[in-house]
Amino acid sequence: MRHFYGWATPNSQRVSIMLEECGLDYAVTGVNIRAKQQFAPEILALNPYGKIPILVEDGRAIFESGAILLHLAERHGVLLGEDRATTLSWLMVALTSLGPFTGQAHHWTELAPEKPEAARAHTTALVERVYRLLDGRLGEVPYLAGAGCTIADIAAYPWVAKHGWADRTLAPTPHLAAWFARMGERPAVLRGMAVPAGARLE
């Protein structure tokens, strides 16, 4: 039995969406990061970094959202796209730029007790650069890796859903907005975004 450990975070939602896209059965344990549950001994035993998401499958723990996405895509032969290298290139944009930059912006726009303007401006500009890149790409193709949805789109979607964390809307990037609407209509995306049930970041 697969067991998913996660919370209402974009990185966790990547994995829950992927599990739903694959049509897999899995159990769920919520790990409330605001309550520091990711540092509980039973979670550290699965991931010594003390981070979620974690997927336990066949008696082994897999952690880091990108690793889990790639593992599931390769194991089940789905969502790797027409050209694996292209899919991996755009996956890495989501993993190394979109997610981290949006998280940094969230810190300086909302979470930090002090919010220096230089830090806010720097991090939101990094997000703007990625959004311009994604918008240009999606003006050429319907999905990041080409004609169909791949793990690159799944990695990007939950972070684009948090565009407000970077003090922005999707209106200035219409191709990205159209992609976001398409992705949001996928049944697996709708189901995955609601896992774990009742989880909230507040």
Side-chain angles (χ1 to χ4, degrees):
M1 183 63 174
R2 295 172 193 86
H3 202 124
F4 166 65
Y5 296 79
W7 197 242
T9 67
N11 286 347
S12 291
Q13 289 163 341
R14 288 169 168 171
V15 176
S16 53
I17 290 171
M18 185 65 178
L19 289 165
E20 294 292 336
E21 287 279 1
C22 291
L24 300 173
D25 293 326
Y26 59 98
V28 179
T29 294
V31 181
N32 187 338
I33 64 170
R34 293 288 188 255
K36 306 295 185 184
Q37 291 177 353
Q38 69 271 34
F39 301 117
E42 59 270 26
I43 300 302
L44 290 173
L46 298 173
N47 180 1
Y49 202 1
K51 292 173 60 181
I52 54 169
I54 302 165
L55 181 67
V56 176
E57 185 180 69
D58 299 331
R60 62 179 174 176
I62 309 164
F63 48 87
E64 294 294 329
S65 62
I68 299 171
L69 290 181
L70 192 55
H71 164 76
L72 291 173
E74 291 181 334
R75 178 164 187 170
H76 299 283
V78 296
L79 298 167
L80 281 171
E82 305 151 21
D83 180 74
R84 187 178 186 275
T86 299
T87 298
L88 293 182
S89 293
W90 289 101
L91 172 65
M92 295 306 151
V93 170
L95 296 180
T96 67
S97 295
L98 176 62
F101 293 165
T102 306
Q104 290 172 34
H106 186 217
H107 178 79
W108 293 113
T109 60
E110 185 175 346
L111 300 178
E114 297 181 4
K115 301 175 177 61
E117 175 57 23
R120 188 206 67 79
H122 174 70
T123 54
T124 56
L126 291 174
V127 175
E128 173 66 22
R129 181 184 176 191
V130 181
Y131 273 48
R132 289 198 307 268
L133 172 68
L134 298 179
D135 192 61
R137 173 64 173 170
L138 292 166
E140 300 170 350
V141 291
Y143 295 94
L144 289 174
C149 179
T150 69
I151 53 175
D153 302 284
I154 292 171
Y157 180 85
W159 281 102
V160 175
K162 297 296 187 184
H163 52 267
W165 284 2
D167 280 345
R168 64 168 299 127
T169 71
L170 298 184
T173 49
H175 302 300
L176 181 62
W179 165 89
F180 185 73
R182 284 195 301 278
M183 287 292 295
E185 292 172 353
R186 296 175 71 89
V189 171
L190 292 170
R191 293 192 303 268
M193 290 292 285
V195 176
R200 299 178 64 87
L201 280 178
E202 289 82 2

